[in-house]
């Protein structure tokens, strides 16, 4: 074989390798998306059943127990769901959004009253769990504030901590959104580079054919 034949063969091998990499990435994305959709469907059904039961019974402890199970056994086992539902409060908020956007249909239930019930549940949950939405060092600081609150100022102290928690949560959401956008841009850039290399090799090969 001549030098040109070896060059041509090498380019073909490189092109094949790049195509295999793209195929693996595509298959992996399809697989992850299929798993996500399956778990999202299971998640939606479990949350709906838990909240419909709460609507009928108003049993707060049982409802939170069931939602915690959903969070532990479904949400935490899928990276996409973990990013979408960081905690139970967000699960409740997005549940109402799904109803308003008609993605979730309630049968034989007064929708207005149902949403009011979920709203009251969310308020009670946030009041009893003011620090759940905050993670890491922020949680430690706020927990210390609660620990040092004098009994005479308990209500005011909890109100202040709740306000701080919401502010820090808003900051975390903003940072998380920026990080997500950055990852998407990096992925698009990598795909663009790979495609550019592939088309460049194809053009180069065609030049010698």
């Amino acid at each position: 074989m001549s030098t040109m034949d070896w060059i041509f063969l090498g380019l073909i091998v490189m092109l094949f390798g790049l195509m295999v990499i793209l195929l693996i990435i595509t298959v992996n994305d399809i697989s992850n998306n299929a798993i996500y959709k399956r778990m999202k469907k299971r998640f939606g059904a479990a949350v709906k059943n838990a909240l419909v039961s709460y609507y009928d019974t108003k049993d707060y402890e049982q409802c939170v127990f069931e939602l915690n199970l959903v969070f532990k056994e479904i949400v935490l086992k899928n990276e996409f769901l973990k990013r979408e539902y960081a905690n139970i409060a967000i699960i409740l908020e997005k549940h109402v959004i799904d109803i308003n956007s008609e993605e979730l249909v309630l049968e034989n239930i007064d929708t207005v009253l149902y949403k009011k019930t979920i709203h009251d549940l969310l308020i009670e949950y946030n009041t009893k769990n003011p620090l759940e939405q905050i993670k890491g060092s922020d949680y430690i600081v706020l927990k210390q504030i609660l620990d040092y609150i004098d009994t005479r100022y308990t209500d005011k102290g909890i109100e202040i901590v709740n306000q701080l928690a919401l502010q820090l949560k808003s900051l975390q959401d903003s940072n998380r959104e920026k990080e997500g956008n950055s990852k998407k841009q990096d992925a698009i850039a990598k795909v663009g580079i790979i495609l550019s290399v592939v088309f460049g090799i194809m053009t180069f090969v065609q030049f010698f054919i």
Side-chain angles (χ1 to χ4, degrees):
M1 294 177 65
S2 65
T3 302
M4 187 60 65
D5 291 334
W6 281 111
I7 294 175
F8 180 78
L9 180 61
L11 291 174
I12 294 297
V13 172
M14 289 176 60
L15 177 61
F16 179 76
L18 288 172
M19 292 178 65
V20 170
I21 292 174
L22 285 174
L23 178 62
I24 292 174
I25 293 175
T26 301
V27 171
N28 185 61
D29 287 342
I30 293 174
S31 176
N32 288 337
N33 189 53
I35 293 173
Y36 165 72
K37 287 183 177 180
R38 185 169 66 252
M39 295 191 72
K40 179 67 178 290
K41 183 177 181 180
R42 184 184 175 201
F43 162 83
V47 170
K48 179 181 177 181
N49 287 335
L51 294 178
V52 168
S53 294
Y54 176 75
Y55 173 76
D56 293 330
T57 65
K58 302 300 185 296
D59 188 335
Y60 174 84
E61 297 299 333
Q62 179 66 26
C63 180
V64 171
F65 169 75
E66 292 180 5
L67 291 177
N68 274 320
L69 282 180
V70 172
F71 191 79
K72 176 183 176 182
E73 299 298 330
I74 300 179
V75 175
L76 293 182
K77 293 184 177 181
N78 184 270
E79 289 299 322
F80 294 106
L81 288 176
K82 279 200 295 186
R83 289 198 292 267
E84 191 172 353
Y85 300 97
N87 52 61
I88 290 178
I90 292 179
I91 290 177
L92 295 174
E93 292 171 358
K94 291 194 174 184
H95 183 73
V96 175
I97 292 175
D98 288 342
I99 295 173
N100 288 337
S101 62
E102 297 184 348
E103 290 186 20
L104 175 63
V105 178
L106 300 171
E107 298 177 358
N108 303 319
I109 292 179
D110 185 327
T111 303
V112 175
L113 183 57
Y114 179 85
K115 289 192 294 183
K116 176 64 168 58
T117 301
I118 303 305
H119 172 264
D120 294 341
L121 171 62
L122 179 59
I123 292 177
E124 183 176 0
Y125 183 82
N126 284 336
T127 300
K128 293 182 177 179
N129 303 274
L131 304 183
E132 186 191 80
Q133 300 182 62
I134 306 300
K135 307 297 181 182
S137 59
D138 294 330
Y139 171 85
I140 295 174
V141 172
L142 292 176
K143 183 66 170 61
Q144 288 176 338
I145 292 175
L146 279 181
D147 290 340
Y148 287 111
I149 290 177
D150 187 274
T151 305
R152 292 173 300 174
Y153 306 104
T154 298
D155 292 339
K156 183 62 178 177
I158 292 177
E159 180 183 345
I160 294 173
V161 170
N162 276 328
Q163 292 174 357
L164 287 173
L166 291 174
Q167 292 174 2
L168 289 171
K169 177 61 169 54
S170 177
L171 179 60
Q172 288 183 349
D173 286 345
S174 177
N175 291 336
R176 190 179 297 111
E177 182 178 355
K178 291 179 181 178
E179 181 181 351
N181 291 336
S182 176
K183 289 181 179 179
K184 289 179 181 178
Q185 292 173 355
D186 289 344
I188 293 174
K190 290 178 181 178
V191 172
I193 292 173
I194 293 175
L195 291 177
S196 297
V197 173
V198 170
F199 288 125
I201 293 174
M202 293 176 64
T203 301
F204 186 76
V205 170
Q206 289 176 355
F207 178 77
F208 289 98
I209 294 178

